[in-house]
């Protein structure tokens, strides 16, 4: 049975912090953010926005765009790591908001939960909902999977310049116009880790930045190895001598905590795949140095990071490798378009991977690339930690969806925050009603109850 993504919509808040202003205010070289990490703007929520209303706005857009009514939807899942409640699931808030438009109880048949596993949970939600359809349980209905997050780090921390906010809604069904998932190849890896986590009651995460970078690469590589086994054993991909599985993936979408992480991941995965192939010899000759090996090749992530001689040499090797025409060709043709939206918007945690997918569709379409039948590989990573690798093929009908994509007009008129305004929002110095922007035709938060018997109840309205 065919199952996949039929349609996709986004909601990105219009407020943003400019990376150059930010760098200057923090006494940093702006090039570190723009060239080093690939960040030019970070989307910020207004005081009357939260992950639930962003999710509802993305859902409403997909419902309206695809002319859906609530009876067409059998499940609504929200994946987030910006949870609002320890018990009440975010999809219930979203349904409450959607029912303001579609009528009381219009979604009462629609099951779903909130999913959590840092940034990878949206991928698990997509997989589980696809399997709900494959199992014949959907009764002809579609599922909506929404990924919505506010990436927020402590002021002055090294994570602060990798913030962002937004939501992506995806319609999943058995006759998808956009992308059909490849069956029986989805692969995962998992390990109990503390690279990035947010204990109860804490608004910002505890982050071990360089550790999290390396762990991301290792986990995605492990999931890719399993994917490879499955793709070969199911016959999805047949390798000839000297080939790698990545030769058969036309486009790559990676989890993007910042846009250059995609490039880092591509270099890491290509090195891993190519070093056993005849083509590597020529590349090593071009680079002019052998691939460095850590002092303790079987060591821990900590021991590798502490091996400063190896880290310096490995960094040098990666930089040289990334400049080879072999790498550049893969980068330009398979990855670069997926990184554009992240540069403009920042980190969306669960939604980053899917914003990257959307970015690739929009910008490849603009270039005139024929995407029909092309295979997309997805590298999803969530701290804590788990990775998921899966793939799908673009359907011949994809233009129906992609032709109308326009990131700038879908975000709307963006408004730059001063550093003072940004810090006021960040430190929660303004209440929901002290918003910066007027909203039109979208859900906003108007109140959060503070009295004991209804503490935490949130009220939303749809602005006219
Ligand atoms: N001009 C140009 N480039 C510069 C520069 C300058 N003046 N100064 C530094 N750079 C480059 C560096 O060379 C480096 O690039 P390469 O790695 O390609 O060489 C890049 O800028 C970043 O420099 P640092 O590594 O020194 O940056 P940092 O110490 O500030 O840390 C970070 C970066 C670890 C990502 C940090 O921002 C962080 O902790 N972020 C939050 C955690 C995170 O995003 N982890 C990613 C993996 S975990 C995950 O993916 C889950 C998730 O969503 C959080």
């Amino acid at each position: 049975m065919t199952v996949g993504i039929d349609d996709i919509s986004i909601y990105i808040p219009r407020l943003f912090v400019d990376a150059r202003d930010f760098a200057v205010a923090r006494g940093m070289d702006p090039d570190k953010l723009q060239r080093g990490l690939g960040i030019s703007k970070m989307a910020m929520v207004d005081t009357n926005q939260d992950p639930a209303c962003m999710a509802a706005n993305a859902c409403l857009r997909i419902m309206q765009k695809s002319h859906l009514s609530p009876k067409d939807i059998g499940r609504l899942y929200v994946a987030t790591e910006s949870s609002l409640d320890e018990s009440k699931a975010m999809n219930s808030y979203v349904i409450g908001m959607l029912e303001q438009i579609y009528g009381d109880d219009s979604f009462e048949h629609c099951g779903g939960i909130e999913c959590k596993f840092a940034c990878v949970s949206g991928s698990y939600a997509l997989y589980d909902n696809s399997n709900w359809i494959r199992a014949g349980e959907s009764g002809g209905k579609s599922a909506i999977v929404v990924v919505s997050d506010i990436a927020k780090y402590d002021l002055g921390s090294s994570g602060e310049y990798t913030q962002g906010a937004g939501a992506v809604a995806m319609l999943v069904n058995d006759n998808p116009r956009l992308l059909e998932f490849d069956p029986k190849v989805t692969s995962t890896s998992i390990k109990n880790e503390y690279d990035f986590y947010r204990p109860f009651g804490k608004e910002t995460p505890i982050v071990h930045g360089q550790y999290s970078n390396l762990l991301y690469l290792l986990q995605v590589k492990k999931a890719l190895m399993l994917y490879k086994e499955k793709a070969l054993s199911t016959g999805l991909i047949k390798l000839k001598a000297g080939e790698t599985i990545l030769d058969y993936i036309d486009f790559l979408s990676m989890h993007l905590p910042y846009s250059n992480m995609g490039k880092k991941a591509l270099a890491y995965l290509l090195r891993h795949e190519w070093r056993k192939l005849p083509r590597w010899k020529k590349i090593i000759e071009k680079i002019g140095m052998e691939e460095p090996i850590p002092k303790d090749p079987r060591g821990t992530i900590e021991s590798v990071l502490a091996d400063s001689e190896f880290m310096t040499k490995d960094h040098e090797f990666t930089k040289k490798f990334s400049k080879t025409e072999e790498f550049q060709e893969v980068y330009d043709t398979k990855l670069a378009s997926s990184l554009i939206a992240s540069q403009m918007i920042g980190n969306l945690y669960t939604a980053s991977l899917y914003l990257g997918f959307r970015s690739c569709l929009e910008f490849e379409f603009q270039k005139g690339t024929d995407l029909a039948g092309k295979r997309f590989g997805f590298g999803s990573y969530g701290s804590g930690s788990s990775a998921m690798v899966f793939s799908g093929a673009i359907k011949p009908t994809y233009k129906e969806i992609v032709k109308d994509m326009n990131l700038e007009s879908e975000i709307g008129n963006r408004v730059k925050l001063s550093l003072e305004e940004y810090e006021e929002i960040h430190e929660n110095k303004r209440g929901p009603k002290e918003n910066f922007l007027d909203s039109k035709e979208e859900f906003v938060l108007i109140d959060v109850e503070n009295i004991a018997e209804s503490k935490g109840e949130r009220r939303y309205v749809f602005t006219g």
Side-chain angles (χ1 to χ4, degrees):
M1 177 194 273
T2 309
V3 178
I5 303 175
D6 181 78
D7 197 0
I8 186 164
S9 70
I10 56 169
Y11 179 84
I12 308 294
R14 288 194 292 127
L15 291 178
F16 74 92
V17 171
D18 183 83
R20 182 160 286 273
D21 295 355
F22 177 90
V24 171
R26 294 284 181 267
M28 294 167 65
D29 179 354
D31 272 355
K32 169 167 174 173
L33 301 192
Q34 292 185 317
R35 290 201 304 116
L37 292 159
I39 301 161
S40 62
K41 288 177 181 161
M42 294 182 275
M44 293 286 146
V45 281
D46 205 335
T47 58
N48 59 356
Q49 294 180 311
D50 68 9
C53 70
M54 290 195 296
N57 286 322
C59 268
L60 183 62
R61 286 184 180 180
I62 214 165
M63 298 279 301
Q64 291 177 335
K65 192 151 83 81
S66 279
H67 309 291
L68 299 166
S69 83
K71 66 174 171 34
D72 299 318
I73 310 300
R75 275 182 156 200
L76 198 160
Y77 271 49
V78 178
T80 185
E81 54 184 300
S82 315
S83 203
L84 299 169
D85 193 280
E86 307 294 2
S87 171
K88 185 176 159 59
M90 201 177 285
N91 55 315
S92 62
Y93 301 79
V94 171
I95 279 175
M97 283 181 254
L98 293 176
E99 287 188 346
Q100 291 184 29
I101 305 292
Y102 293 98
D104 285 347
D105 305 330
S106 52
F107 278 87
E108 68 180 0
H109 59 280
C110 188
I113 53 168
E114 175 184 314
C115 303
K116 175 168 70 186
F117 202 135
C119 309
V120 74
S121 59
S123 305
Y124 279 97
L126 266 184
Y127 184 52
D128 292 354
N129 279 287
S130 300
N131 289 335
W132 169 71
I133 295 167
R134 287 185 181 118
E137 294 279 337
S138 68
K141 294 189 193 298
S142 299
I144 294 181
V145 172
V146 202
V147 276
S148 180
D149 265 308
I150 298 173
K152 179 169 181 173
Y153 293 86
D154 286 335
L155 287 185
S157 69
S158 67
E160 195 192 3
Y161 33 87
T162 63
Q163 299 184 111
V168 176
M170 288 165 282
L171 187 70
V172 183
N173 62 32
D174 60 3
N175 190 19
R177 288 170 292 172
L178 191 52
L179 173 121
E180 173 186 346
F181 290 128
D182 292 326
K184 300 189 175 153
V185 290
T186 297
S187 299
T188 55
S189 71
I190 192 161
K191 190 163 192 282
N192 178 28
E193 289 279 4
Y194 280 98
D195 56 326
F196 165 113
Y197 60 105
R198 187 162 67 85
F200 282 145
K202 200 171 177 311
E203 207 190 12
T204 49
I206 296 170
V207 190
H208 305 293
Q210 300 303 344
Y211 189 98
S212 71
N213 273 344
L214 186 51
L215 186 60
Y216 166 125
L217 300 174
L218 289 166
Q219 291 287 32
V220 172
K221 181 185 78 183
K222 281 187 196 162
L224 180 69
M225 293 307 94
L226 279 175
Y227 171 89
K228 181 175 177 172
E229 275 177 38
K230 291 186 185 180
L232 296 179
S233 68
T234 58
L236 178 75
I237 294 175
K238 293 182 181 66
L239 292 185
K240 296 197 264 307
E243 290 181 336
T244 147
I245 197 118
L246 295 173
D247 297 339
Y248 290 85
I249 307 276
D250 301 301
F251 294 93
L252 271 168
S253 290
M254 303 301 302
H255 169 54
L256 299 174
Y258 48 93
S259 123
N260 282 7
M261 188 71 205
K263 191 172 187 182
K264 242 188 217 306
L266 180 66
Y268 186 85
L269 297 175
L270 285 180
R271 277 174 64 180
H272 181 266
E273 282 294 290
W274 286 0
R275 69 169 66 101
K276 291 157 266 164
L277 305 181
R279 67 184 88 166
W280 194 236
K281 195 165 167 262
K282 192 169 139 208
I283 293 169
I284 288 290
E285 276 167 19
K286 280 191 187 170
I287 293 174
M289 71 188 274
E290 284 301 321
E291 225 183 342
I293 299 167
K295 282 196 191 93
D296 179 4
R298 291 177 177 274
T300 59
I301 295 179
E302 284 95 339
S303 75
V304 171
L305 290 172
D307 186 346
S308 53
E309 194 187 329
F310 165 74
M311 290 302 290
T312 309
K313 282 212 174 111
D314 195 64
H315 189 252
E316 185 190 343
F317 185 90
T318 306
K319 289 279 162 214
K320 289 186 171 164
F321 174 53
S322 305
K323 289 196 177 105
T324 61
E325 65 189 284
E326 287 81 355
F327 175 86
Q328 275 300 328
E329 205 229 319
V330 177
Y331 173 78
D332 290 339
T333 56
K334 298 188 184 208
L335 184 77
S337 298
S338 73
L339 308 181
I340 299 170
S342 172
Q343 286 152 17
M344 296 161 65
I345 292 163
N347 192 3
L348 309 187
Y349 287 163
T350 51
S352 287
L353 172 66
Y354 298 101
L355 182 70
F357 170 52
R358 212 211 90 120
S359 176
C360 184
L361 294 172
E362 177 176 338
F363 294 107
E364 286 297 325
F365 182 76
Q366 276 181 19
K367 281 201 293 194
T369 312
D370 182 6
L371 294 174
K374 295 285 188 290
R375 173 158 295 117
F376 271 67
F378 296 82
S380 189
Y381 175 69
S383 292
S385 68
S386 178
M388 182 184 277
V389 169
F390 56 102
S391 60
I394 297 290
K395 301 280 288 185
T397 40
Y398 76 98
K399 285 187 187 157
E400 273 179 51
I401 310 293
V402 176
K403 70 178 172 24
D404 295 325
M405 287 181 174
N406 186 318
L407 199 52
E408 282 186 12
S409 73
E410 285 169 62
I411 301 175
N413 201 6
R414 297 183 87 180
V415 175
K416 185 165 95 165
L417 288 165
S418 68
L419 255 287
E420 293 71 31
E421 290 167 335
Y422 151 69
E423 288 187 5
E424 269 184 51
I425 294 181
H426 189 285
E427 296 303 285
N428 305 318
K429 290 195 174 138
R430 288 173 174 241
K433 289 188 179 133
E434 297 171 277
N435 44 303
F436 285 89
L437 299 180
D438 291 332
S439 332
K440 220 170 147 223
E441 296 188 353
E442 62 182 56
F443 297 107
V444 292
L445 174 72
I446 49 165
D447 193 29
V448 185
E449 286 285 356
N450 212 8
I451 51 170
E453 60 271 29
S454 52
K455 192 169 167 61
E457 283 191 18
R458 302 172 89 86
R459 312 266 173 247
Y460 300 91
V461 293
F462 189 71
T463 55

mmCIF file of all heavy atoms in Angstrom, residues 144-159:
data_model
loop_
_atom_site.group_PDB
_atom_site.id
_atom_site.type_symbol
_atom_site.label_atom_id
_atom_site.label_comp_id
_atom_site.label_asym_id
_atom_site.label_seq_id
_atom_site.Cartn_x
_atom_site.Cartn_y
_atom_site.Cartn_z
ATOM 1 N N ILE A 144 -3.099 13.960 10.490
ATOM 2 C CA ILE A 144 -2.269 15.173 10.450
ATOM 3 C C ILE A 144 -1.204 15.018 11.526
ATOM 4 O O ILE A 144 -1.516 14.726 12.687
ATOM 5 C CB ILE A 144 -3.080 16.459 10.686
ATOM 6 C CG1 ILE A 144 -4.071 16.701 9.544
ATOM 7 C CG2 ILE A 144 -2.146 17.664 10.799
ATOM 8 C CD1 ILE A 144 -4.900 17.972 9.684
ATOM 9 N N VAL A 145 0.049 15.189 11.134
ATOM 10 C CA VAL A 145 1.158 15.208 12.103
ATOM 11 C C VAL A 145 1.706 16.638 12.104
ATOM 12 O O VAL A 145 2.098 17.158 11.053
ATOM 13 C CB VAL A 145 2.268 14.210 11.709
ATOM 14 C CG1 VAL A 145 3.495 14.382 12.602
ATOM 15 C CG2 VAL A 145 1.738 12.780 11.795
ATOM 16 N N VAL A 146 1.666 17.251 13.275
ATOM 17 C CA VAL A 146 2.190 18.621 13.373
ATOM 18 C C VAL A 146 3.428 18.603 14.264
ATOM 19 O O VAL A 146 3.419 17.989 15.340
ATOM 20 C CB VAL A 146 1.202 19.602 14.047
ATOM 21 C CG1 VAL A 146 1.530 21.028 13.638
ATOM 22 C CG2 VAL A 146 -0.211 19.268 13.754
ATOM 23 N N VAL A 147 4.459 19.270 13.812
ATOM 24 C CA VAL A 147 5.675 19.429 14.615
ATOM 25 C C VAL A 147 5.788 20.922 14.937
ATOM 26 O O VAL A 147 5.688 21.755 14.043
ATOM 27 C CB VAL A 147 6.915 18.912 13.853
ATOM 28 C CG1 VAL A 147 7.065 17.423 14.007
ATOM 29 C CG2 VAL A 147 6.849 19.233 12.360
ATOM 30 N N SER A 148 5.917 21.240 16.205
ATOM 31 C CA SER A 148 5.874 22.654 16.583
ATOM 32 C C SER A 148 6.795 22.887 17.771
ATOM 33 O O SER A 148 6.735 22.149 18.755
ATOM 34 C CB SER A 148 4.434 23.031 16.964
ATOM 35 O OG SER A 148 4.364 24.389 17.325
ATOM 36 N N ASP A 149 7.631 23.895 17.684
ATOM 37 C CA ASP A 149 8.563 24.135 18.786
ATOM 38 C C ASP A 149 9.055 25.576 18.844
ATOM 39 O O ASP A 149 9.074 26.278 17.833
ATOM 40 C CB ASP A 149 9.804 23.228 18.649
ATOM 41 C CG ASP A 149 9.662 21.950 19.453
ATOM 42 O OD1 ASP A 149 9.359 22.047 20.656
ATOM 43 O OD2 ASP A 149 9.814 20.861 18.866
ATOM 44 N N ILE A 150 9.484 25.921 20.061
ATOM 45 C CA ILE A 150 10.232 27.164 20.279
ATOM 46 C C ILE A 150 11.601 26.725 20.775
ATOM 47 O O ILE A 150 11.701 26.099 21.834
ATOM 48 C CB ILE A 150 9.548 28.043 21.341
ATOM 49 C CG1 ILE A 150 8.145 28.446 20.874
ATOM 50 C CG2 ILE A 150 10.405 29.274 21.647
ATOM 51 C CD1 ILE A 150 7.317 29.165 21.919
ATOM 52 N N ALA A 151 12.632 26.994 19.983
ATOM 53 C CA ALA A 151 13.997 26.640 20.411
ATOM 54 C C ALA A 151 14.521 27.812 21.238
ATOM 55 O O ALA A 151 14.783 28.886 20.699
ATOM 56 C CB ALA A 151 14.874 26.380 19.196
ATOM 57 N N LYS A 152 14.612 27.589 22.529
ATOM 58 C CA LYS A 152 14.978 28.685 23.438
ATOM 59 C C LYS A 152 16.120 28.244 24.339
ATOM 60 O O LYS A 152 16.044 27.196 24.975
ATOM 61 C CB LYS A 152 13.739 29.051 24.276
ATOM 62 C CG LYS A 152 13.994 30.167 25.267
ATOM 63 C CD LYS A 152 12.687 30.668 25.871
ATOM 64 C CE LYS A 152 12.953 31.802 26.841
ATOM 65 N NZ LYS A 152 11.731 32.433 27.336
ATOM 66 N N TYR A 153 17.173 29.037 24.370
ATOM 67 C CA TYR A 153 18.354 28.728 25.195
ATOM 68 C C TYR A 153 18.616 29.899 26.141
ATOM 69 O O TYR A 153 18.128 31.015 25.918
ATOM 70 C CB TYR A 153 19.583 28.541 24.300
ATOM 71 C CG TYR A 153 19.532 27.318 23.406
ATOM 72 C CD1 TYR A 153 18.910 27.361 22.166
ATOM 73 C CD2 TYR A 153 20.117 26.116 23.802
ATOM 74 C CE1 TYR A 153 18.877 26.245 21.337
ATOM 75 C CE2 TYR A 153 20.096 25.005 22.974
ATOM 76 C CZ TYR A 153 19.470 25.074 21.746
ATOM 77 O OH TYR A 153 19.442 23.970 20.932
ATOM 78 N N ASP A 154 19.432 29.654 27.158
ATOM 79 C CA ASP A 154 19.761 30.716 28.117
ATOM 80 C C ASP A 154 20.417 31.915 27.418
ATOM 81 O O ASP A 154 21.220 31.729 26.492
ATOM 82 C CB ASP A 154 20.753 30.190 29.169
ATOM 83 C CG ASP A 154 20.072 29.274 30.165
ATOM 84 O OD1 ASP A 154 18.847 29.400 30.350
ATOM 85 O OD2 ASP A 154 20.769 28.421 30.763
ATOM 86 N N LEU A 155 20.096 33.112 27.938
ATOM 87 C CA LEU A 155 20.781 34.315 27.460
ATOM 88 C C LEU A 155 22.274 34.146 27.712
ATOM 89 O O LEU A 155 22.671 33.660 28.772
ATOM 90 C CB LEU A 155 20.310 35.555 28.238
ATOM 91 C CG LEU A 155 18.911 36.112 27.964
ATOM 92 C CD1 LEU A 155 18.701 37.405 28.756
ATOM 93 C CD2 LEU A 155 18.680 36.365 26.481
ATOM 94 N N GLY A 156 23.076 34.530 26.742
ATOM 95 C CA GLY A 156 24.528 34.489 26.922
ATOM 96 C C GLY A 156 25.135 33.110 26.720
ATOM 97 O O GLY A 156 26.362 32.967 26.770
ATOM 98 N N SER A 157 24.310 32.091 26.475
ATOM 99 C CA SER A 157 24.874 30.735 26.295
ATOM 100 C C SER A 157 25.271 30.535 24.827
ATOM 101 O O SER A 157 24.863 31.296 23.948
ATOM 102 C CB SER A 157 23.830 29.684 26.683
ATOM 103 O OG SER A 157 22.783 29.679 25.734
ATOM 104 N N SER A 158 26.033 29.459 24.558
ATOM 105 C CA SER A 158 26.440 29.220 23.169
ATOM 106 C C SER A 158 25.282 28.661 22.339
ATOM 107 O O SER A 158 25.376 28.569 21.117
ATOM 108 C CB SER A 158 27.645 28.276 23.108
ATOM 109 O OG SER A 158 27.253 27.002 23.542
ATOM 110 N N GLY A 159 24.199 28.279 22.994
ATOM 111 C CA GLY A 159 23.016 27.847 22.231
ATOM 112 C C GLY A 159 22.155 29.030 21.809
ATOM 113 O O GLY A 159 21.290 28.896 20.935
#
